[in-house]
Amino acid sequence: MAKICAAVFLAGAAIVLSGCSPEAKAGLRSWAFSPTTYQERSWLNLEADGPATGYGDKQIDDKTFVINSVGSEVTTVAQAQDLALVHSAKLGKSRGFDRFIVQRSRAEMRCSLHHANPVVELTVRYGAENDFDEAKASYSTDEVISDLMPKVQRPDASTTAKETAYVANMRFCRSGGTNQIVDPDRIKVSG
């Protein structure tokens, strides 16, 4: 009897969903996923399919690192940017640096049939306050951690926020978008 009820329910759900957009159909699954929180992942090739969510870093020299964050399908680009900035600050602080600058930034959407994951990559250089001239926009490690860590640790995980993020990510991918410009007001790139 339970198998028959499950089959009838699934058939009914298929009929109800037949008139929905692809984003809405797939978005119904979003309740099961969570926005990406501050969690480490192993460094993976960002060109590979299906990267784990979270942050990673790769050292270039004593003061320069490439920081990346990969968001879940219900994570906004802004949340992925915040995650990358927080990790940049925490990594710098753990190495004794007070400030950092973003030398290069890239944000893109990893698109597949049913998923759209925001990927943010920052190249950062660390130093003390007097290491950077006034023309370069630098971040304080302490200020970034105090301002952004609460948002990164407790992202909005409401059903509405997750569905909104999922649909926005999928629409971007379905509209032919492959890259997104990082909001210059959110990430200060020195140049």
Side-chain angles (χ1 to χ4, degrees), residues 7-86:
V8 169
F9 173 75
L10 290 175
I15 291 169
V16 169
L17 290 176
S18 64
C20 294
S21 69
E23 291 92 355
K25 287 179 190 175
L28 292 174
R29 301 176 315 116
S30 68
W31 65 269
F33 296 95
S34 296
T36 306
T37 57
Y38 190 71
Q39 60 191 12
E40 186 175 10
R41 67 177 187 80
S42 60
W43 179 266
L44 297 174
N45 179 353
L46 293 180
E47 304 306 319
D49 288 334
T53 62
Y55 66 81
D57 57 70
K58 183 176 181 180
Q59 187 168 2
I60 305 299
D61 63 37
D62 288 348
K63 293 185 175 185
T64 309
F65 285 78
V66 175
I67 309 294
N68 70 74
S69 67
V70 179
S72 71
E73 62 194 50
V74 296
T75 300
T76 65
V77 173
Q79 288 170 322
Q81 290 172 354
D82 288 347
L83 179 62
L85 284 171
V86 165

Side-chain angles (χ1 to χ4, degrees), residues 23 73 76 109 116 162-175 180:
E23 291 92 355
E73 62 194 50
T76 65
M109 196 67 69
K162 293 191 299 183
E163 288 176 355
T164 300
Y166 181 86
V167 170
N169 293 350
M170 289 302 292
R171 281 194 177 143
F172 182 81
C173 286
R174 297 242 166 94
S175 68
Q180 248 178 326

Side-chain angles (χ1 to χ4, degrees), residues 123-142:
T123 302
V124 299
R125 182 140 183 94
Y126 296 103
E129 188 164 2
N130 59 357
D131 290 343
F132 306 113
D133 62 33
E134 290 184 26
K136 293 185 177 180
S138 66
Y139 290 95
S140 160
T141 55
D142 289 333

